[in-house]
Amino acid sequence: MSESNRSKSPQGPVFSRRAFLGRSAMTAAAAAGATTVSLSAFSPSARAGWFDKTVPASPHEPTQIASFYTAITVGSGYGSAVTALRLGEAGVSTLMVEMGQLWDQAASDGKVHCDMVSPDARAMWFKDRTEAPVANIMGLPLVDRNIDQYPGVLDTLNYDNMSVYVGRGVGGGSLVNGGMAVVPKREFFEEILPDINADEMYDSWFPLANRMLRVNSVSDAVYNSDYYQFSRRAEACAHKAGFRTADVPNVYDFEYMEAEIAGNAEPSATAGEVIYGNNFGKQSLDKNYIPEALGTGNVTLRTMTRVVGIRQDANGIYRLNLETIDASGSVTERLEVSCQYLFLGAGTMGTTELLMRARDTGTLPDLSDRIGQGWGNNGNFMVSIANPVWNTTGARQSGMPVKGIDNWDDEDAQVFAEIAPFPAGIETFTSLFLAITNNPERGYLTYNPDADRVELNWRADQTQPSFDAAKKVFDRYNKANYSRYRRGLFKGNQPYADFFTYHPLGGCILGEATDYYGRLKGYQNLYAVDGSLLPGNVGVNPFITITALAERNIATVIREDLGLS
Ligand code: FAE
């Protein structure tokens, strides 16, 4: 990586001239199709309502592409964005293909993204109703809304016993996530990936990921504001129960949040924005890696285009079948594009699906039988607690978590429980935690040829280790604080949610389906670059690990496989 291309700012390269050029390229390339259409163009039901609906923008027309690129990256999440930037810097002509849209156009309400309180078509990827993880307020189904189908920003992949949340659009999961940017505990990293040089990771690649993504920590001024009362209260309760708490860094700009709170900037995190996108404040990948990549002049971005098939010619060239869709989801174009080097960054579920389809339908038959194995939910387990009436959590809550209960060193209850907001707009006396637990259970994926998609094989009882560990922590928490478990928030009316994950990991695990740099076994010049490489659980939120590993892997691949520096 060349330092000369980066600004000297400790915040990283976000204000570099190249990023500026990239941002201009991103919008200019798309501008041709930047019109706002009536909802009726893609949803007859939109006309049926008697009140005005927000009309989302029509996605940009996809950029014209050539028939061959030296490299293609599939998807535009963390793994793919890192890979595209480093290839572009090395002078490699690269195409980035993303099935979702570029989120840079305002809808009729003047905003790019909708909030969580009144979600609309922008919220979800072709659904009739939103599917928020916390579906109820005090037992009443007040959260989810009927919406029009549209290529929205959040998707849920619903399998037996598990729903997987993923982001759609340029930036992938970075558009919808809570921004928590956590480096795993070194001991745990060494346990799960013993063959990766931890010195290198902790000395170089994690710091680089933090810099590039502009990770920062909450200031005292912000933490002591009304918007973090929910967090201060839960932290105090945790201490009372004898637990340690830890800071959780974030990619949300806390200087911006301070300005929001002071009324000097458009509110985003403080206005209930997060899982359907943030209009301001958050360093998603469309603010850093991706414009930097486009700014090299060597990377082309094709949006609203899904890779549906991969095969290889006798001469080793990969041929990809692409389908471009419009705002209604109809296929408007089918095309083929080829490359010498193919990098799969379609996310854990997307990458594994593409590879399993290719292996099982015989277009890439020599792929490893380890593909699809070792899937984990990163031990995700959500818990809701009812506080006594004197322990108010506040009606105003920031969407970005910044603290967690750190009980990871307790072998009987290995839990890192982030104090999550519950921005209902009213006092709810509720504390919410997204616990990451050390769950050794693993599921596996199988390709269903009739449905042409992968299925997740995950039994309901596989979340038992997470339940047991979280129960130990929160029984103790409740006992010390006169609090109790709160029902009435989650589907099924349990005080916990073990039926969804934000952190799907595995399926193409490093050293199993690939070598230790993500090279897929059985083929040359074919790579996995995303969350599918991680062995099911990293003990913390995963995007920093995905980013750092992608940086590490592509540096070696560019040097050894492409013969460049
Ligand atoms: P990912 O970001 O999922 O990107 C994959 C991209 O590929 C997507 O844009 C897809 O649309 C696209 N794609 C898929 N299939 C195709 C195809 N066939 N053709 C073309 N494009 C395709 O991949 N993690 C944290 O570390 N901290 C958090 O606070 C956090 N909060 C989260 C909150 C929510 C609601 C969600 C959903 C996730 C959260 N995560 C969080 C998880 C994190 O966002 C996720 O691990 C990463 O985004 C995964 O990065 P990948 O590079 O694997």
Side-chain angles (χ1 to χ4, degrees):
M1 179 191 43
S2 125
E3 267 300 323
S4 61
N5 286 329
R6 299 211 250 125
S7 83
K8 298 292 174 209
S9 155
Q11 300 268 329
V14 199
F15 298 116
S16 73
R17 178 169 157 72
R18 199 176 64 194
F20 173 76
L21 292 175
R23 262 193 292 274
S24 313
M26 199 149 73
T27 10
T35 48
T36 300
V37 294
S38 151
L39 248 188
S40 60
F42 49 86
S43 168
S45 67
R47 281 173 293 175
W50 47 268
F51 52 90
D52 281 346
K53 285 189 181 181
T54 301
V55 181
S58 177
H60 295 296
E61 286 292 327
T63 315
Q64 290 298 313
I65 55 173
S67 58
F68 177 84
Y69 292 83
T70 306
I72 294 179
T73 69
V74 182
S76 62
Y78 293 92
S80 200
V82 168
T83 305
L85 170 58
R86 301 309 172 201
L87 288 168
E89 284 179 334
V92 179
S93 122
T94 302
L95 174 68
M96 175 185 257
V97 186
E98 166 57 49
M99 66 191 271
Q101 59 174 305
L102 174 63
W103 287 93
D104 68 344
Q105 301 182 88
S108 60
D109 65 355
K111 293 196 168 161
V112 175
H113 297 290
C114 60
D115 63 25
M116 292 197 295
V117 179
S118 43
D120 56 40
R122 290 168 287 180
M124 309 256 354
W125 182 257
F126 297 109
K127 303 262 182 194
D128 296 317
R129 193 166 166 79
T130 57
E131 296 178 19
V134 178
N136 305 312
I137 299 179
M138 306 314 158
L140 299 172
L142 299 172
V143 180
D144 285 318
R145 300 288 163 91
N146 291 337
I147 53 172
D148 290 293
Q149 293 221 357
Y150 178 74
V153 73
L154 183 69
D155 200 0
T156 46
L157 307 171
N158 296 316
Y159 305 101
D160 291 345
N161 308 314
M162 185 58 62
S163 290
V164 179
Y165 282 85
V166 293
R168 297 272 179 243
V170 175
S174 76
L175 296 165
V176 296
N177 67 33
M180 287 176 274
V182 193
V183 174
K185 287 179 190 281
R186 180 165 175 151
E187 207 175 283
F188 193 63
F189 181 85
E190 288 177 349
E191 187 183 318
I192 58 167
L193 289 169
D195 297 295
I196 306 295
N197 183 332
D199 281 345
E200 241 187 53
M201 289 300 296
Y202 283 79
D203 293 346
S204 304
W205 304 116
F206 283 124
L208 176 62
N210 278 335
R211 263 198 323 274
M212 290 295 297
L213 295 170
R214 300 189 71 207
V215 175
N216 64 161
S217 291
V218 69
S219 62
D220 288 348
V222 169
Y223 196 59
N224 290 324
S225 73
D226 288 356
Y227 291 91
Y228 281 101
Q229 183 177 327
F230 76 94
S231 191
R232 295 195 305 275
R233 284 286 154 84
E235 214 189 351
C237 291
H239 292 158
K240 206 162 162 210
F243 292 113
R244 274 193 304 139
T245 55
D247 290 344
V248 177
N250 203 294
V251 296
Y252 199 91
D253 180 345
F254 287 106
E255 276 182 27
Y256 187 87
M257 201 187 288
E258 196 168 341
E260 284 179 46
I261 293 169
N264 297 329
E266 278 283 324
S268 180
T270 59
E273 292 179 0
V274 57
I275 61 169
Y276 303 132
N278 280 90
N279 285 300
F280 307 98
K282 192 164 79 175
Q283 278 289 321
S284 42
L285 293 163
D286 52 337
K287 310 280 190 309
N288 41 64
Y289 272 103
I290 295 172
E292 280 275 316
L294 300 182
T296 64
N298 296 316
V299 177
T300 304
L301 171 66
R302 170 91 181 191
T303 54
M304 297 293 284
T305 300
R306 198 163 78 96
V307 176
V308 291
I310 306 168
R311 63 184 198 281
Q312 194 188 32
D313 283 353
N315 57 7
I317 295 296
Y318 291 100
R319 294 200 183 279
L320 277 64
N321 297 99
L322 311 182
E323 281 182 2
T324 296
I325 58 166
D326 62 15
S328 71
S330 305
V331 175
T332 54
E333 195 178 356
R334 288 195 167 83
L335 58 165
E336 200 176 281
V337 60
S338 6
C339 63
Q340 194 177 349
Y341 300 91
L342 178 57
F343 298 88
L344 300 178
T348 291
M349 310 309 292
T351 289
T352 310
E353 179 166 286
L354 282 169
L355 290 170
M356 292 191 87
R357 179 184 294 130
R359 186 190 64 194
D360 295 2
T361 60
T363 61
L364 295 177
D366 296 332
L367 284 167
S368 160
D369 60 9
R370 296 297 302 160
I371 291 171
Q373 301 296 308
W375 185 92
N377 66 350
N378 204 23
N380 278 192
F381 192 87
M382 222 169 194
V383 179
S384 57
I385 300 290
N387 296 312
V389 285
W390 61 86
N391 213 350
T392 51
T393 47
R396 301 204 284 187
Q397 303 195 2
S398 162
M400 300 291 146
V402 295
K403 299 275 177 175
I405 299 176
D406 184 359
N407 201 49
W408 198 262
D409 293 340
D410 174 358
E411 293 214 337
D412 287 338
Q414 273 190 292
V415 174
F416 185 72
E418 277 136 10
I419 304 169
F422 182 36
I426 49 167
E427 175 59 55
T428 62
F429 306 96
T430 300
S431 293
L432 206 57
F433 296 88
L434 174 61
I436 293 171
T437 60
N438 189 4
N439 183 354
E441 289 287 338
R442 295 291 176 264
Y444 61 95
L445 297 156
T446 39
Y447 174 68
N448 174 345
D450 297 329
D452 189 26
R453 65 168 226 162
V454 291
E455 308 288 356
L456 172 63
N457 299 274
W458 177 266
R459 298 185 319 274
D461 65 12
Q462 288 185 283
T463 48
Q464 190 66 38
S466 301
F467 176 94
D468 294 341
K471 186 170 185 313
K472 281 187 189 136
V473 168
F474 289 101
D475 280 357
R476 188 168 130 195
Y477 180 101
N478 283 341
K479 201 168 165 205
N481 292 290
Y482 305 100
S483 53
R484 57 189 170 76
Y485 293 105
R486 158 128 20 245
R487 291 178 191 275
L489 262 59
F490 303 115
K491 188 177 82 180
N493 205 30
Q494 296 292 348
Y496 59 86
D498 62 351
F499 52 83
F500 76 83
T501 182
Y502 289 159
H503 303 162
L505 299 172
C508 299
I509 293 177
L510 270 178
E512 295 185 17
T514 74
D515 76 351
Y516 289 109
Y517 290 93
R519 299 174 178 109
L520 282 147
K521 292 183 179 169
Y523 290 86
Q524 286 205 324
N525 305 338
L526 181 64
Y527 313 85
V529 299
D530 54 22
S532 65
L533 293 169
L534 292 172
N537 195 350
V538 289
V540 292
N541 320 59
F543 75 60
I544 286 291
T545 309
I546 296 170
T547 304
L549 268 178
E551 288 279 16
R552 165 195 179 269
N553 294 351
I554 193 63
T556 295
V557 166
I558 286 176
R559 197 176 55 247
E560 293 183 359
D561 301 12
L562 284 86
L564 302 167
S565 53

